Amino acid sequence: AYMELISRLESFGANAMLSPSALRHTVLLFEELVLQLIVRELGKRQSGFPVRVSIEHSDTDDTVEMRINYSGERFDPLTEGEELSLSIVKRLAKEASFNYSTENEVTVRC
């Protein structure tokens, strides 16, 4: 499943004509934020699945926005996550935000 996800991200990058560095940042953000921080925590809690990820590219400012939604109890991976993954996310993301109303939502732009 991991290789399929990465392959889909690479296809997205090719279709959006992302530069190699923009694609690398997008894949790294996905790996650290979704796989290392969110999925790992939800696995411990055994709730919150499925995790839904949408990714959009803006031609206007050449940024990529990733929006991640998941249910369950409030969990802010931008402040409650593992330190190494958090530092990678903070280094790569131009903007990052968390919101919790009826579900958890994380938005990052790179």
Side-chain angles (χ1 to χ4, degrees):
Y2 170 78
M3 292 308 295
E4 181 182 336
L5 291 170
I6 299 306
S7 176
R8 289 175 126 185
L9 281 172
E10 289 172 348
S11 292
F12 165 80
N15 290 336
M17 295 185 287
L18 295 180
S19 68
S21 66
L23 177 59
R24 194 169 40 256
H25 287 174
T26 302
V27 170
L28 279 171
L29 270 173
F30 177 82
E31 289 175 338
E32 296 301 327
L33 188 56
V34 177
L35 301 178
Q36 295 298 321
L37 293 171
I38 295 172
V39 170
R40 182 171 283 172
E41 181 63 25
L42 297 183
K44 291 178 191 173
R45 296 177 181 202
Q46 297 189 355
S47 69
F49 294 102
V51 176
R52 296 176 316 284
V53 179
S54 65
I55 301 175
E56 296 178 2
H57 175 253
S58 169
D59 289 330
T60 308
D61 58 4
D62 199 33
T63 59
V64 174
E65 180 177 282
M66 187 180 312
R67 181 169 284 127
I68 305 113
N69 296 87
Y70 49 99
S71 60
E73 296 175 24
R74 183 185 193 284
F75 171 65
D76 179 357
L78 300 174
T79 61
E80 302 171 49
E82 184 270 324
E83 199 169 311
L84 177 59
S85 292
L86 272 174
S87 67
I88 293 169
V89 169
K90 288 178 181 177
R91 181 172 293 132
L92 295 175
K94 292 178 182 173
E95 297 174 33
S97 64
F98 172 80
N99 185 40
Y100 181 82
S101 55
T102 58
E103 68 177 0
N104 295 281
E105 180 177 88
V106 179
T107 304
V108 290
R109 292 173 63 89
C110 64

